[in-house]
Amino acid sequence: MEEFSAIAEQYTPMINRIIRSLMIYKNQDDYFQIGLIALWDAYSLYNPEKGSFLSIAYSMVKGRILHGLRDETKTNLLVSPFEPGSGQIENTLITEDTPFQHEYLLAYCEGLTESQKNWVLLTFDAQLTISEIAEQQNVTIAAVKSWRRSTLKKLRTSLK
């Protein structure tokens, strides 16, 4: 096969097309880099007996970019909505010394159901675990997880 730089130049439009098809508009350079690394891996692992290089390259590049998106989404779950742009939940947890912490949390609870508000307050104000919240509220752990999932979804959409 040809030198990898020639392969990279040839498949650059494919990587860009995948990025556009996934509607990635932030950090495009990072995802392009992920795509190039996946292309390198496809180039390294390519075996002509197993199929065409194009199909293997496309599958690996798209898969890696999707994996990168999934990882970024998981990372964004850790970012507290209480201090946008902080990047680390450890830095944004509200402590007992923070003035007006309860009111601060309630400001983010507008538009949430009562159970979702309870989840926010008990998780971030009282710092209870899911099982402790379930026990205190006399509900199942699955119910508390459902509150958490729907709350985070609502908060993410309202903060965008």
Side-chain angles (χ1 to χ4, degrees):
M1 237 184 177
E2 304 147 15
E3 186 73 29
F4 179 72
S5 59
I7 296 290
E9 187 176 323
Q10 180 183 355
Y11 286 92
T12 295
M14 180 190 73
I15 297 171
N16 287 324
R17 192 171 333 118
I18 291 171
I19 290 171
R20 278 193 315 273
S21 73
L22 295 173
M23 294 182 220
I24 298 172
Y25 57 93
K26 292 182 181 177
N27 305 326
Q28 286 183 345
D29 292 337
D30 294 341
Y31 288 104
F32 183 79
Q33 187 66 31
I34 290 170
L36 273 180
I37 293 169
L39 186 65
W40 169 256
D41 289 342
Y43 176 75
S44 301
L45 299 173
Y46 176 62
N47 182 355
E49 297 170 359
K50 298 213 176 188
S52 72
F53 180 72
L54 175 63
S55 62
I56 292 170
Y58 185 86
S59 298
M60 286 188 78
V61 169
K62 188 167 186 175
R64 292 277 177 84
I65 291 174
L66 284 170
H67 186 72
L69 281 171
R70 234 183 339 264
D71 286 348
E72 183 178 331
T73 302
K74 287 179 184 177
T75 303
N76 287 343
L77 289 176
L78 297 177
V79 176
S80 173
F82 306 110
E83 285 187 21
S86 68
Q88 297 294 323
I89 194 164
E90 300 88 45
N91 297 336
T92 60
L93 282 177
I94 297 174
T95 63
E96 295 174 9
D97 301 331
T98 308
F100 310 113
Q101 69 182 2
H102 190 74
E103 292 80 11
Y104 193 63
L105 284 171
L106 286 175
Y108 284 96
C109 291
E110 291 179 24
L112 298 178
T113 65
E114 200 59 40
S115 57
Q116 291 170 337
K117 273 185 208 174
N118 285 338
W119 177 81
V120 169
L121 294 173
L122 293 173
T123 300
F124 295 106
D125 196 13
Q127 297 186 351
L128 298 179
T129 64
I130 290 174
S131 55
E132 292 169 336
I133 294 170
E135 186 178 318
Q136 181 180 351
Q137 298 291 315
N138 294 323
V139 295
T140 64
I141 292 175
V144 176
K145 287 181 179 180
S146 174
W147 297 347
R148 175 184 62 189
R149 190 172 37 256
S150 60
T151 303
L152 291 175
K153 186 176 180 181
K154 276 186 182 178
L155 288 174
R156 273 190 224 109
T157 56
S158 70
L159 291 174
K160 283 186 180 180

